[in-house]
Amino acid sequence: MPEALQGIVVLDLTQYLAGPYGCTLLGDVGADVIKIEPPAGDMGRQYPSSLPNENRSFIGANRGKRSIVLDLKRPEGLEAFYRLVEQADVVVHNFRPSVPKRLGIDYETLRSRRPDIIYCSFTGYGENEDGPLRDHPGFDTMLQCFTGLAAMQGGGGVPQILQGSIVDYYSSSMVAIAILSGLVHRLRTGEGQHVRASLLRSALSLQAGQFIWANGEPRDIDRWWGPGIQGIYETKDGYLFLQATTLPFWKNLSKHLGFLHLGEDPRFDTHVKRTALRDEIRPLIKKGLMQHTALEWEQLMLGEVPCIAIRGIGDMFDHPQVLAEGLVTEHEHPKIGKYRAMTKAVKMGVGDRPTTRAPMLGEHTDDILTQFGFTENEIAALRARGATA
Protein backbone atom coordinates (compact mmCIF):
# COMPACT_ATOMS: atom_id res chain seq x y z
CA MET A 1 0.00 0.00 0.00
CA PRO A 2 1.24 3.55 -0.71
CA GLU A 3 2.48 5.57 2.22
CA ALA A 4 0.65 8.69 3.36
CA LEU A 5 3.18 11.15 1.88
CA GLN A 6 4.50 8.97 -0.91
CA GLY A 7 5.55 11.19 -3.83
CA ILE A 8 6.00 14.29 -1.67
CA VAL A 9 9.52 15.70 -2.00
CA VAL A 10 10.88 17.66 0.95
CA LEU A 11 14.04 19.76 0.60
CA ASP A 12 15.49 19.94 4.11
CA LEU A 13 17.93 22.83 4.62
CA THR A 14 17.73 22.67 8.40
CA GLN A 15 20.56 21.97 10.84
CA TYR A 16 20.99 21.03 14.50
CA LEU A 17 17.94 19.17 15.90
CA ALA A 18 14.43 20.63 15.79
CA GLY A 19 14.21 21.27 12.05
CA PRO A 20 15.96 18.06 11.00
CA TYR A 21 13.77 15.87 13.21
CA GLY A 22 10.64 17.64 11.99
CA CYS A 23 11.60 16.59 8.45
CA THR A 24 12.39 13.10 9.69
CA LEU A 25 8.82 12.81 10.99
CA LEU A 26 7.61 13.55 7.45
CA GLY A 27 9.93 10.88 6.09
CA ASP A 28 8.50 8.42 8.60
CA VAL A 29 5.16 8.63 6.78
CA GLY A 30 6.54 8.38 3.26
CA ALA A 31 7.98 11.73 2.16
CA ASP A 32 11.18 11.71 0.13
CA VAL A 33 13.33 13.89 2.41
CA ILE A 34 16.42 15.28 0.73
CA LYS A 35 18.86 16.74 3.23
CA ILE A 36 20.74 19.59 1.58
CA GLU A 37 23.98 20.24 3.44
CA PRO A 38 26.77 22.81 3.03
CA PRO A 39 30.24 21.47 2.27
CA ALA A 40 31.08 21.35 6.00
CA GLY A 41 27.88 19.43 6.73
CA ASP A 42 25.05 19.96 9.19
CA MET A 43 26.42 21.60 12.35
CA GLY A 44 24.79 18.75 14.26
CA ARG A 45 27.40 16.40 12.82
CA GLN A 46 30.13 18.44 14.49
CA TYR A 47 28.86 18.39 18.08
CA PRO A 48 30.68 16.35 20.74
CA SER A 49 29.48 12.79 21.15
CA SER A 50 30.37 9.66 23.08
CA LEU A 51 29.95 7.77 19.82
CA PRO A 52 33.25 7.50 17.92
CA ASN A 53 33.37 8.99 14.42
CA GLU A 54 29.77 10.24 14.36
CA ASN A 55 27.34 12.30 16.41
CA ARG A 56 24.72 10.24 18.21
CA SER A 57 22.08 12.98 18.12
CA PHE A 58 22.58 13.58 14.39
CA ILE A 59 22.14 9.90 13.58
CA GLY A 60 19.00 9.70 15.70
CA ALA A 61 17.42 12.84 14.27
CA ASN A 62 18.09 12.23 10.56
CA ARG A 63 16.89 8.71 9.84
CA GLY A 64 15.33 7.94 6.50
CA LYS A 65 16.91 10.81 4.53
CA ARG A 66 19.24 11.18 1.59
CA SER A 67 22.07 13.71 1.73
CA ILE A 68 23.31 16.02 -1.00
CA VAL A 69 26.00 18.69 -0.68
CA LEU A 70 25.17 22.05 -2.28
CA ASP A 71 26.99 25.28 -1.56
CA LEU A 72 24.21 27.86 -1.81
CA LYS A 73 26.75 30.68 -1.49
CA ARG A 74 28.11 29.80 -4.94
CA PRO A 75 25.99 30.81 -7.97
CA GLU A 76 26.19 27.31 -9.43
CA GLY A 77 25.06 25.71 -6.18
CA LEU A 78 22.17 28.12 -5.84
CA GLU A 79 21.06 27.54 -9.41
CA ALA A 80 21.17 23.78 -8.83
CA PHE A 81 19.00 24.28 -5.74
CA TYR A 82 16.48 26.25 -7.80
CA ARG A 83 16.20 23.31 -10.21
CA LEU A 84 15.43 21.02 -7.27
CA VAL A 85 12.81 23.47 -5.97
CA GLU A 86 11.00 23.42 -9.31
CA GLN A 87 10.23 19.72 -8.78
CA ALA A 88 9.81 19.70 -5.00
CA ASP A 89 6.76 20.11 -2.79
CA VAL A 90 8.24 21.45 0.45
CA VAL A 91 11.24 23.57 1.41
CA VAL A 92 12.24 23.81 5.09
CA HIS A 93 14.96 25.96 6.64
CA ASN A 94 15.94 27.22 10.09
CA PHE A 95 18.02 30.25 9.15
CA ARG A 96 17.62 33.46 11.09
CA PRO A 97 15.01 35.74 9.43
CA SER A 98 17.50 38.03 7.68
CA VAL A 99 19.39 35.19 5.98
CA PRO A 100 17.02 33.67 3.35
CA LYS A 101 16.66 36.83 1.27
CA ARG A 102 20.41 37.40 1.40
CA LEU A 103 20.98 33.86 0.11
CA GLY A 104 18.25 34.14 -2.49
CA ILE A 105 16.04 31.43 -0.99
CA ASP A 106 13.24 33.52 0.53
CA TYR A 107 9.62 32.53 -0.03
CA GLU A 108 8.90 35.07 -2.79
CA THR A 109 11.95 33.95 -4.77
CA LEU A 110 11.16 30.26 -4.49
CA ARG A 111 7.46 30.78 -5.15
CA SER A 112 8.39 32.31 -8.49
CA ARG A 113 10.04 28.98 -9.32
CA ARG A 114 7.32 26.76 -7.84
CA PRO A 115 4.04 28.65 -7.21
CA ASP A 116 2.46 25.93 -5.06
CA ILE A 117 5.52 25.31 -2.88
CA ILE A 118 4.98 24.77 0.85
CA TYR A 119 7.72 26.90 2.41
CA CYS A 120 8.41 26.37 6.10
CA SER A 121 10.67 28.70 8.05
CA PHE A 122 11.63 27.67 11.55
CA THR A 123 13.23 30.33 13.75
CA GLY A 124 14.20 30.92 17.35
CA TYR A 125 11.92 33.82 18.26
CA GLY A 126 9.71 34.43 15.22
CA GLU A 127 10.01 36.67 12.17
CA ASN A 128 7.96 39.79 12.88
CA GLU A 129 10.12 42.83 12.25
CA ASP A 130 8.87 44.44 15.48
CA GLY A 131 10.35 41.62 17.57
CA PRO A 132 13.52 42.79 19.36
CA LEU A 133 14.91 39.24 19.45
CA ARG A 134 14.03 38.49 15.82
CA ASP A 135 17.61 37.93 14.67
CA HIS A 136 19.01 36.74 17.98
CA PRO A 137 20.37 33.16 17.92
CA GLY A 138 17.93 30.75 19.53
CA PHE A 139 18.61 27.35 21.06
CA ASP A 140 16.59 24.94 23.17
CA THR A 141 18.26 25.86 26.46
CA MET A 142 18.00 29.59 25.76
CA LEU A 143 14.26 29.33 25.20
CA GLN A 144 13.87 27.29 28.38
CA CYS A 145 15.48 30.15 30.25
CA PHE A 146 13.56 32.86 28.40
CA THR A 147 10.05 31.42 28.71
CA GLY A 148 9.96 30.26 32.32
CA LEU A 149 10.64 26.56 31.85
CA ALA A 150 13.99 26.75 33.67
CA ALA A 151 12.45 28.80 36.48
CA MET A 152 9.64 26.26 36.88
CA GLN A 153 12.09 23.35 37.01
CA GLY A 154 13.94 25.19 39.75
CA GLY A 155 10.78 25.32 41.85
CA GLY A 156 11.43 28.87 42.98
CA GLY A 157 15.09 28.22 43.77
CA VAL A 158 18.02 28.07 41.37
CA PRO A 159 16.70 27.73 37.78
CA GLN A 160 17.30 24.31 36.24
CA ILE A 161 17.66 23.27 32.60
CA LEU A 162 15.46 20.36 31.59
CA GLN A 163 17.89 18.01 29.87
CA GLY A 164 17.02 16.15 26.68
CA SER A 165 16.29 19.03 24.25
CA ILE A 166 12.58 18.93 25.06
CA VAL A 167 11.84 22.25 23.31
CA ASP A 168 13.69 21.10 20.18
CA TYR A 169 11.86 17.79 19.97
CA TYR A 170 8.48 19.38 20.62
CA SER A 171 9.28 22.00 17.99
CA SER A 172 9.97 19.24 15.46
CA SER A 173 6.37 18.12 15.88
CA MET A 174 5.18 21.69 15.29
CA VAL A 175 7.30 21.86 12.12
CA ALA A 176 5.71 18.66 10.86
CA ILE A 177 2.19 19.84 11.76
CA ALA A 178 2.71 23.17 9.99
CA ILE A 179 3.94 21.46 6.82
CA LEU A 180 1.21 18.82 6.86
CA SER A 181 -1.42 21.52 7.30
CA GLY A 182 0.04 23.39 4.34
CA LEU A 183 -0.06 20.25 2.23
CA VAL A 184 -3.69 19.59 3.13
CA HIS A 185 -4.57 23.18 2.21
CA ARG A 186 -2.78 22.76 -1.12
CA LEU A 187 -4.64 19.51 -1.75
CA ARG A 188 -7.94 21.35 -1.28
CA THR A 189 -7.15 24.61 -3.06
CA GLY A 190 -4.02 24.09 -5.18
CA GLU A 191 -2.34 26.93 -3.31
CA GLY A 192 1.09 26.87 -1.71
CA GLN A 193 1.95 29.00 1.30
CA HIS A 194 4.56 30.13 3.79
CA VAL A 195 4.13 28.37 7.15
CA ARG A 196 6.11 29.24 10.26
CA ALA A 197 7.14 27.65 13.53
CA SER A 198 9.57 28.77 16.22
CA LEU A 199 11.22 27.70 19.43
CA LEU A 200 9.38 30.53 21.19
CA ARG A 201 5.96 29.30 20.08
CA SER A 202 6.86 25.74 21.05
CA ALA A 203 8.26 26.65 24.48
CA LEU A 204 5.11 28.58 25.35
CA SER A 205 2.87 25.86 23.90
CA LEU A 206 4.54 23.40 26.26
CA GLN A 207 3.26 25.61 29.08
CA ALA A 208 -0.22 26.34 27.77
CA GLY A 209 -1.69 25.25 31.11
CA GLN A 210 0.40 27.85 32.93
CA PHE A 211 0.36 30.59 30.28
CA ILE A 212 -2.93 31.99 31.61
CA TRP A 213 -3.26 35.43 33.23
CA ALA A 214 -6.74 36.28 34.50
CA ASN A 215 -7.74 39.90 34.99
CA GLY A 216 -6.84 41.13 38.43
CA GLU A 217 -4.15 38.52 39.12
CA PRO A 218 -0.59 39.59 39.89
CA ARG A 219 1.97 38.80 37.22
CA ASP A 220 3.93 36.48 39.51
CA ILE A 221 0.99 34.42 40.78
CA ASP A 222 1.77 30.75 41.35
CA ARG A 223 0.57 29.15 38.11
CA TRP A 224 1.78 25.67 39.02
CA TRP A 225 -0.42 23.89 41.54
CA GLY A 226 2.48 21.82 42.76
CA PRO A 227 3.32 18.14 42.63
CA GLY A 228 0.78 16.99 45.22
CA ILE A 229 1.64 13.54 46.45
CA GLN A 230 2.84 12.33 43.07
CA GLY A 231 6.54 12.29 42.40
CA ILE A 232 9.70 10.23 42.55
CA TYR A 233 10.27 8.23 45.74
CA GLU A 234 13.14 6.13 46.99
CA THR A 235 12.41 2.44 47.58
CA LYS A 236 14.26 -0.49 49.09
CA ASP A 237 16.28 -0.55 45.87
CA GLY A 238 15.90 2.07 43.16
CA TYR A 239 13.44 4.88 42.62
CA LEU A 240 9.75 4.79 41.76
CA PHE A 241 7.46 7.41 40.27
CA LEU A 242 3.84 7.20 41.34
CA GLN A 243 0.73 9.26 40.75
CA ALA A 244 -2.59 8.66 42.49
CA THR A 245 -4.82 11.51 41.32
CA THR A 246 -8.17 9.69 41.28
CA LEU A 247 -9.97 8.27 44.30
CA PRO A 248 -9.74 4.64 43.11
CA PHE A 249 -6.00 5.04 42.56
CA TRP A 250 -5.62 6.61 46.01
CA LYS A 251 -7.54 3.76 47.66
CA ASN A 252 -5.39 1.17 45.88
CA LEU A 253 -2.22 2.98 46.92
CA SER A 254 -3.40 3.11 50.53
CA LYS A 255 -4.11 -0.61 50.46
CA HIS A 256 -0.70 -1.53 49.03
CA LEU A 257 1.29 0.72 51.36
CA GLY A 258 -0.46 -0.31 54.56
CA PHE A 259 -2.61 2.67 55.50
CA LEU A 260 -5.93 1.41 54.18
CA HIS A 261 -7.92 3.58 56.60
CA LEU A 262 -6.74 6.74 54.85
CA GLY A 263 -8.24 5.51 51.61
CA GLU A 264 -11.65 5.78 53.26
CA ASP A 265 -10.93 9.02 55.14
CA PRO A 266 -13.06 11.92 53.76
CA ARG A 267 -10.16 14.30 54.43
CA PHE A 268 -8.33 12.71 51.49
CA ASP A 269 -11.16 11.85 49.09
CA THR A 270 -10.28 14.36 46.37
CA HIS A 271 -7.11 15.23 44.51
CA VAL A 272 -7.39 18.83 45.74
CA LYS A 273 -7.59 17.71 49.38
CA ARG A 274 -4.70 15.30 49.05
CA THR A 275 -2.56 17.98 47.43
CA ALA A 276 -3.30 20.40 50.26
CA LEU A 277 -2.35 17.71 52.82
CA ARG A 278 0.66 16.40 50.92
CA ASP A 279 3.05 17.16 53.79
CA GLU A 280 1.06 14.73 55.91
CA ILE A 281 0.80 12.02 53.27
CA ARG A 282 4.23 11.98 51.65
CA PRO A 283 6.11 10.70 54.76
CA LEU A 284 3.68 7.76 54.92
CA ILE A 285 4.30 6.98 51.25
CA LYS A 286 8.07 7.18 51.74
CA LYS A 287 7.94 4.78 54.68
CA GLY A 288 5.62 2.33 52.92
CA LEU A 289 7.70 2.16 49.76
CA MET A 290 10.74 0.94 51.69
CA GLN A 291 9.13 -2.49 51.93
CA HIS A 292 10.00 -3.47 48.34
CA THR A 293 12.24 -2.51 45.42
CA ALA A 294 11.09 -0.19 42.65
CA LEU A 295 10.74 -3.06 40.19
CA GLU A 296 8.76 -5.11 42.71
CA TRP A 297 6.38 -2.21 43.36
CA GLU A 298 5.88 -1.76 39.63
CA GLN A 299 4.65 -5.34 39.39
CA LEU A 300 2.68 -5.34 42.65
CA MET A 301 0.70 -2.23 41.68
CA LEU A 302 0.45 -2.98 37.96
CA GLY A 303 -2.88 -1.75 36.63
CA GLU A 304 -4.01 -0.52 40.07
CA VAL A 305 -1.79 2.50 40.76
CA PRO A 306 -0.04 4.59 38.10
CA CYS A 307 3.61 3.96 38.92
CA ILE A 308 6.81 3.07 37.13
CA ALA A 309 10.36 2.24 38.15
CA ILE A 310 12.96 4.80 37.12
CA ARG A 311 15.09 3.53 34.25
CA GLY A 312 17.76 4.86 31.94
CA ILE A 313 17.36 5.21 28.18
CA GLY A 314 19.66 2.22 27.71
CA ASP A 315 17.05 0.00 29.34
CA MET A 316 14.65 0.75 26.49
CA PHE A 317 16.56 -1.24 23.89
CA ASP A 318 15.44 -4.58 25.33
CA HIS A 319 12.37 -3.78 27.44
CA PRO A 320 9.54 -6.14 26.39
CA GLN A 321 7.02 -3.28 26.04
CA VAL A 322 9.30 -1.34 23.71
CA LEU A 323 10.05 -4.45 21.69
CA ALA A 324 6.37 -5.40 21.53
CA GLU A 325 5.66 -2.01 19.95
CA GLY A 326 8.40 -2.54 17.36
CA LEU A 327 10.22 0.63 18.36
CA VAL A 328 13.76 -0.67 17.91
CA THR A 329 15.43 -1.42 14.61
CA GLU A 330 19.01 -2.15 13.52
CA HIS A 331 21.06 -0.41 10.87
CA GLU A 332 24.51 -0.84 9.36
CA HIS A 333 26.56 2.36 9.27
CA PRO A 334 29.79 2.84 7.25
CA LYS A 335 31.58 4.51 10.17
CA ILE A 336 30.20 2.89 13.31
CA GLY A 337 29.03 -0.49 12.08
CA LYS A 338 25.78 -1.93 13.39
CA TYR A 339 23.65 0.20 15.67
CA ARG A 340 20.17 -0.01 17.14
CA ALA A 341 17.84 2.97 16.95
CA MET A 342 14.28 4.26 17.03
CA THR A 343 11.97 3.13 14.25
CA LYS A 344 9.16 5.70 13.88
CA ALA A 345 7.29 8.15 16.06
CA VAL A 346 3.89 7.07 14.72
CA LYS A 347 2.53 3.81 13.33
CA MET A 348 0.35 3.90 10.26
CA GLY A 349 -2.37 1.40 9.51
CA VAL A 350 -1.28 1.05 5.87
CA GLY A 351 1.87 1.92 3.96
CA ASP A 352 4.32 1.62 6.84
CA ARG A 353 7.74 0.82 5.36
CA PRO A 354 10.85 0.21 7.48
CA THR A 355 13.11 3.15 8.22
CA THR A 356 16.63 3.60 6.87
CA ARG A 357 19.72 4.93 8.63
CA ALA A 358 20.89 8.54 8.69
CA PRO A 359 22.96 9.46 5.62
CA MET A 360 26.65 10.18 5.36
CA LEU A 361 27.51 13.71 4.24
CA GLY A 362 26.82 13.97 0.51
CA GLU A 363 26.22 10.25 0.24
CA HIS A 364 23.44 10.62 -2.34
CA THR A 365 24.58 13.73 -4.22
CA ASP A 366 24.94 12.08 -7.62
CA ASP A 367 21.75 10.02 -7.29
CA ILE A 368 19.67 13.05 -6.31
CA LEU A 369 21.03 15.31 -9.05
CA THR A 370 20.43 12.58 -11.60
CA GLN A 371 16.87 12.13 -10.30
CA PHE A 372 16.26 15.86 -10.89
CA GLY A 373 17.53 15.76 -14.46
CA PHE A 374 21.20 16.73 -14.16
CA THR A 375 23.52 15.12 -16.68
CA GLU A 376 26.87 13.57 -15.80
CA ASN A 377 28.64 16.58 -17.34
CA GLU A 378 26.56 19.02 -15.29
CA ILE A 379 27.30 17.11 -12.09
CA ALA A 380 30.99 17.06 -12.91
CA ALA A 381 30.92 20.81 -13.58
CA LEU A 382 29.23 21.50 -10.23
CA ARG A 383 31.86 19.45 -8.46
CA ALA A 384 34.71 21.14 -10.34
CA ARG A 385 33.43 24.57 -9.27
CA GLY A 386 33.12 23.51 -5.63
CA ALA A 387 29.33 23.84 -5.64
CA THR A 388 28.91 20.23 -4.57
CA ALA A 389 30.99 17.38 -3.21
Side-chain angles (χ1 to χ4, degrees), residues 37-39 67-72 74 76-77 80 362 364-366 369 378-389:
E37 301 188 64
S67 171
I68 176 176
V69 170
L70 283 180
D71 189 346
L72 302 186
R74 292 180 178 271
E76 299 87 356
H364 307 96
T365 294
D366 287 9
L369 291 175
E378 287 176 317
I379 296 172
L382 285 172
R383 188 165 281 117
R385 296 187 180 100
T388 189

Side-chain angles (χ1 to χ4, degrees), residues 105-125:
I105 61 168
D106 55 292
Y107 175 55
E108 295 302 326
T109 298
L110 299 193
R111 186 173 67 168
S112 69
R113 301 274 180 160
R114 177 72 190 246
D116 63 349
I117 196 74
I118 304 301
Y119 182 96
C120 179
S121 54
F122 176 72
T123 58
Y125 299 90

Side-chain angles (χ1 to χ4, degrees), residues 105 134 215 218 230 240 273 312:
I105 61 168
R134 178 177 183 264
N215 288 343
Q230 70 264 25
L240 184 82
K273 291 179 182 178

Side-chain angles (χ1 to χ4, degrees), residues 63-83:
R63 64 176 177 266
K65 302 180 183 180
R66 295 183 294 160
S67 171
I68 176 176
V69 170
L70 283 180
D71 189 346
L72 302 186
K73 295 180 179 179
R74 292 180 178 271
E76 299 87 356
L78 183 59
E79 190 57 41
F81 174 67
Y82 288 154
R83 287 177 62 176

Side-chain angles (χ1 to χ4, degrees), residues 133-293:
L133 298 177
R134 178 177 183 264
D135 279 302
H136 194 46
F139 291 92
D140 177 294
T141 46
M142 292 177 65
L143 270 295
Q144 287 191 44
C145 294
F146 178 63
T147 62
L149 276 167
M152 181 172 66
Q153 294 302 312
V158 178
Q160 298 289 325
I161 294 295
L162 183 61
Q163 300 299 320
S165 304
I166 188 69
V167 177
D168 275 339
Y169 279 110
Y170 184 73
S171 295
S172 69
S173 299
M174 298 302 99
V175 167
I177 287 173
I179 293 169
L180 288 171
S181 299
L183 288 169
V184 170
H185 177 79
R186 190 179 75 172
L187 184 65
R188 290 173 172 168
T189 67
E191 299 174 348
Q193 63 176 299
H194 183 177
V195 298
R196 298 171 173 87
S198 71
L199 289 172
L200 175 59
R201 288 179 179 274
S202 297
L204 290 177
S205 293
L206 279 169
Q207 303 172 87
Q210 288 79 53
F211 197 49
I212 302 293
W213 189 3
N215 288 343
E217 289 184 323
R219 180 190 298 272
D220 60 351
I221 190 171
D222 186 3
R223 291 179 169 84
W224 184 252
W225 182 250
I229 65 170
Q230 70 264 25
I232 296 175
Y233 293 86
E234 190 173 3
T235 69
K236 186 177 179 181
D237 182 25
Y239 291 86
L240 184 82
F241 175 85
L242 64 81
Q243 179 170 330
T245 50
T246 69
L247 186 56
F249 289 150
W250 166 244
K251 288 183 175 182
N252 289 338
L253 178 64
S254 301
K255 175 188 68 176
H256 280 288
L257 296 187
F259 43 84
L260 183 60
H261 61 290
L262 295 185
E264 304 298 330
D265 191 325
R267 293 192 305 144
F268 306 106
D269 62 4
T270 70
H271 183 34
V272 172
K273 291 179 182 178
R274 291 190 295 277
T275 298
L277 296 171
R278 58 183 176 268
D279 291 341
E280 183 177 337
I281 300 172
R282 289 179 70 89
L284 298 175
I285 295 175
K286 290 179 180 179
K287 181 180 178 181
L289 288 176
M290 284 298 171
Q291 301 172 72
H292 299 287
T293 70

Side-chain angles (χ1 to χ4, degrees), residues 348-385:
M348 303 297 290
V350 295
D352 201 19
R353 66 177 173 181
T355 58
T356 58
R357 64 166 172 82
M360 302 285 287
L361 176 61
E363 180 177 354
H364 307 96
T365 294
D366 287 9
D367 290 343
I368 291 168
L369 291 175
T370 300
Q371 172 188 335
F372 282 80
F374 287 75
T375 65
E376 289 185 8
N377 288 339
E378 287 176 317
I379 296 172
L382 285 172
R383 188 165 281 117
R385 296 187 180 100

